[in-house]
Each structure stands twice: as structure tokens, then as C-alpha cells.
Amino acid sequence: MWRKAAAVSLVTAPILLAVATAVDPALGADQGYGVYRQHPAATQWHSLLLHWAWVLFVPGLLGLLAPIRRRGAVLARIGWVTVVLGLATFSALMAFDFFLLALEQTLPDAQVAAVDTRFQEQWPTVAGWQWPGLVGWALSLLLVPIAAARARVINWWTAAAALVGTALYFAFAISPVPVNLLGPVVLIGAYAAAARQLLRPRPAAAEPDSFGASRRRVSFACLYAAPVFFGAGLATAPAGDFVARPGQTQVSALLLHLGWLLFVPAMLVVASRGRRFTRVAAGITVLALLNFSALMVGDTADLSARQVLGAGPADRVADALGGLSFFTFGWALPGMVLSLLGLMAVPIGAAVDRLTRWWVAVLAVAGVVMFLVVPLGPAGVTGPLLLLVAFGLLGRDLRRAPDAAAEPVPVVAAAA
């Protein structure tokens, strides 16, 4: 099931990347403020499709890493971290394109530039979001194909094609059509070949599963770490005037973002023990979490607008952002609703599968409900504390359950 899901992601992600690149309204020399205002529909299509392309690359690249055992394990460990924390963070940055569109629809270019400049000066956001996102994005696209080829999951010709496509995309992403499509077109062919090879298993190599063991250890740790970061983000959120505490606001947003991201490997390790419903629920929750975590960058964007413009104009920008249907219905609402439902559904599925006790699932449901109903402040950490207890107990119970991933994993036949 997971190989098929990864293969679909590997095929779909570069196709979405190609379409997003083709409809980008800001190509060539046309990079100034006001372009988004002139092309609102193209801007929304470009930003949403680009975001979803990077989101789908996450399960796709993780699927390429999953069969790796000892050969290529060092690169696989680095690549796994860059995908989960780096590439996922990079996909979040597309949210700022929607914010820029809302700015341009509301304000003259001079004020748009002032808000954008202030956003770029927010060092906790730059160091915590932009730098890890950019570095992780680049390393993910470069290291994962090499690690997969080293482990003979794919052949070296496929890996080389993926690297060439990545290099072309890096070089020509904002060039005029059709030059900017060179990279995505090559990536479509490369990752389609990788998907085909991923679906052709052969008997496993007789080598210890060092990468799988380390990945599972980290994933189990995320069952505890995710609620801790989630609670820390809520605990540090300013209860009053957040504009007066810009550093605290940014740190809170970053901690919440990391909390939602760390739930991704936590969901995957639960799915590795679960049956069909649990696996499907975990897969949907992973995609939702990748969307939901991105919304935390909006806290810093809104902070920048309020620092530069004041409350009234910033409220109008926020209203304009909320009126962008592509963002609201293609990103924000599905991410939030499905993430919260998934954090309840996956423990319930684990209980149905007899991987844990029912009262553990009840604690998880209560944690999500408390997060929704308890206001910010000291009491606001009640929900994360309940989730910490629930997922901690779930992790303890899962360690006693059989794990298909711990068994020999087939590697795919590499073409000569």
C-alpha cells in the first residue's frame, strides 16, 4: 500500500510542479510588485499547485527511502530529516505568495514593499523557516535520489535524470516559458521511472536494516516530541497584544509549526502497525498536517502587516486573504479540519486494531477537543498535555505490537 502511495506521489508531484511553473505570472524580468495584482487567478493557481507539488514530494521521497537498509543508510538518514523538516517547511513558504496577493489587492506598491521588507527582517522566522526550508528543499532533491540509487532502490540512470531535472529547475525556474519547463519535464520522466522501479520488488538483500531501525527510533520519539512542541507553542503564544511581543509571537509560531510537522513521522509509525483504516487515516492526516503546519507562517506575516500598517489596514489585508478561495478551500480549511480529525481518527483506528486501549484513544480525542475550546494562557496547554499522555501511551503499546517494517523489506530491481 505504501509503495503504491509513494509511487503515485512521485508521478503527481512533478506534474503539478510543471503546471505551477507554466502558469507563474512572475517570470523573466517581470518580478516587481504589482504583478500578482494584475494576475490574481494565475497567482493563486501557481502558489497552490506549487505548494501541493512540494507536499506530495514528501511522501514520494520518503517512499524512495523506505526500502533502504544498510547500503546508503547514512545518506538516507540525512535525506529523511531534510524531507520531513526541510522540504515540508519549504512548502509552507508558498503561503506568503497568497499574503502578498492580499497585500497587493489592498495596498499601493510602496506599502506592499514595506510590509514585505519587515517580514524579511523577522530573524526568528528567517532562521527558523526560510533557511531550513531552502536548505532542506535543495538537499532533499539532491540526496534522496543518490541514496536510493546507492541502495539499488532505483538505478543510477534514474537518479542522474532526477539530479539533472533538479539542476535545470534550480537554474531556470523563473525563466520565460518554455525554458522554465525544462526541469519539471525531466523530473516527470525521472520520477515516473523511479515510481515504476519502486513497484517492482525483488527478494530482500541479506543485510541489517540499520536505516529502518534508526528511522523507527526517531519516529517513536516524535510521538512524545510532537505534543511537547505543540504545547510549547501554545504556552509561548502572547495572550494579549502580540504586536508588542514580536519575538515571542514568532517563536510561538515556529514551535507550533514544528509540532505539527513532528506529528508526521508519529502518524507513519502508528500506520506501520495498523490495518487498512488506520493506514488510510494516517496517510490523509500526514497530507493534512503538511498543509496545516504551513499556516503558522501567517502569524508572522500578519505581525509584519500590523507593525507597518497598524490595525485597520492590516485587518483589511487579513479579510482579503480570507477571501481568496484557493487558499481557504484548497489549503487552510482542509489542512486544519483533516489534521485535527486525523489526530483523533488514528488513535481510534489503533484501538480498533487492538494496538492500544480504548481509553488511550479517548484521551487523544479529549486533547483535540480541549485545544479547540480552551483559550490561550496557562490552561491552554491542557490539550497538548492530554495528547502527550495519549500518544506516549500509544507509543508504549506500539512497541509491543508486530511491525511489518521491521521485517525484511524488498528492494526494487535496478535496471542494468
Side-chain angles (χ1 to χ4, degrees), residues 324-348:
L324 298 176
S325 59
F326 282 58
F327 180 72
T328 300
F329 298 106
W331 187 332
L333 281 180
M336 179 176 64
V337 173
L338 294 177
S339 291
L340 298 178
L341 288 176
L343 292 179
M344 296 185 288
V346 173
I348 290 173

Side-chain angles (χ1 to χ4, degrees), residues 270 273-278 345-361 393-394 396-402:
V270 177
R273 264 71 169 181
R275 297 177 184 172
R276 187 172 186 84
F277 172 81
T278 305
V346 173
I348 290 173
V352 171
D353 296 339
R354 298 184 179 181
L355 300 174
T356 191
R357 283 72 52 86
W358 272 104
W359 61 270
V360 173
L393 292 171
L394 177 57
R396 185 194 65 179
D397 293 338
L398 288 176
R399 290 182 183 276
R400 304 169 181 170

Side-chain angles (χ1 to χ4, degrees), residues 18-44:
V19 178
T21 304
V23 300
D24 187 355
L27 295 174
D30 196 7
Q31 298 291 315
Y33 296 110
V35 176
Y36 288 177
R37 184 189 301 117
Q38 298 169 17
H39 308 281
T43 297
Q44 292 186 73

Side-chain angles (χ1 to χ4, degrees), residues 284-326:
I284 295 173
T285 306
V286 163
L287 293 179
L289 288 165
L290 292 171
N291 280 272
F292 192 27
S293 70
L295 301 181
M296 306 306 118
V297 77
D299 294 349
T300 302
D302 185 53
L303 172 66
S304 303
R306 293 180 185 280
Q307 287 178 320
V308 174
L309 306 171
D315 286 340
R316 291 194 293 273
V317 172
D319 290 341
L321 179 62
L324 298 176
S325 59
F326 282 58

Side-chain angles (χ1 to χ4, degrees), residues 81-94:
V81 173
T82 63
V83 170
V84 172
L85 296 181
L87 180 58
T89 297
F90 182 72
S91 73
L93 298 178
M94 307 306 113

